[in-house]
Amino acid sequence: MSEKEIWKDIEGYEGAFQVSSFGRVRSLPRIDALGHHRKGILRKQGNVHDGYLQVALEHNGNKAVYLVHRLVAAAFIPNPNGYATVNHKDENPSNNRAENLEWCTMLYNNMYNGRNKRVAKALERPINVITSSGHHYFFSSQKKASEILGLNDGHVSACLHGKLKHHHGFSFEFAV
């Protein structure tokens, strides 16, 4: 038995764009401002970061970029509590099917499926801190190095992941 794809108008873009229960977005057939007939097409979705998908919509002067999972949730998932956050149940941010989404609190989303434990474990990995003079200092974790040296943990992480070269004169590498 195959599941049927359901299409619904996107709020604010009624009659121009629709979102589907499968996480796809399409424009509807229309006559443009110059009187030309335009076919409806599937809209391209771009990767924002970490697999989250976005789509650009424009109609009657309304022009904006939207996260696809939020469009799907708004159209298909009841939100009686007025939650502001959408969770991907399978933790795959590219899977925007309606059955994979749920409205929730930010706290629930952050705690979902052991995310905090995974982040904490990543922060426990031993690292080397290298001074500008080339001396290496071993720390049992990124968190410990940040605390002892009085550094911003986010900047240390950015250095470890190649997004920054230095932070307060130090460079960083994961210990082997």
Side-chain angles (χ1 to χ4, degrees), residues 61-83:
N62 279 343
K63 187 178 188 180
V65 177
Y66 296 92
L67 292 168
V68 175
H69 68 284
R70 296 192 61 81
L71 293 175
V72 174
F76 293 96
I77 311 297
N79 188 7
N81 297 316
Y83 293 139

Side-chain angles (χ1 to χ4, degrees), residues 11 27 62 85 97 134 150 167:
E11 188 177 334
S27 63
N62 279 343
T85 304
R97 295 173 77 94
H167 177 51

Side-chain angles (χ1 to χ4, degrees), residues 1-66:
M1 178 173 83
S2 67
E3 185 183 348
K4 182 168 171 38
E5 186 170 22
I6 300 165
W7 291 90
K8 291 187 178 182
D9 282 339
I10 295 173
E11 188 177 334
Y13 296 90
E14 292 85 355
F17 293 99
Q18 293 183 326
V19 64
S20 86
S21 56
F22 290 2
R24 301 190 312 160
V25 178
R26 71 179 178 189
S27 63
L28 296 173
R30 67 193 185 288
I31 298 175
D32 69 15
L34 300 174
H36 299 109
H37 290 272
R38 300 288 181 194
K39 286 196 268 181
I41 59 168
L42 283 177
R43 302 293 295 189
K44 290 182 182 174
Q45 297 182 16
N47 188 343
V48 182
H49 65 86
D50 297 334
Y52 288 93
L53 300 174
Q54 67 181 8
V55 64
L57 304 178
E58 181 178 359
H59 181 64
N60 291 337
N62 279 343
K63 187 178 188 180
V65 177
Y66 296 92

Side-chain angles (χ1 to χ4, degrees), residues 87-88 90-92 109-125:
N87 181 48
H88 289 83
D90 69 356
E91 297 190 72
N92 174 358
N109 193 45
N110 288 340
M111 299 293 284
Y112 190 79
N113 212 3
R115 179 184 177 274
N116 285 356
K117 287 181 184 175
R118 289 193 308 275
V119 169
K121 185 172 183 171
L123 292 177
E124 291 173 8
R125 224 171 131 187

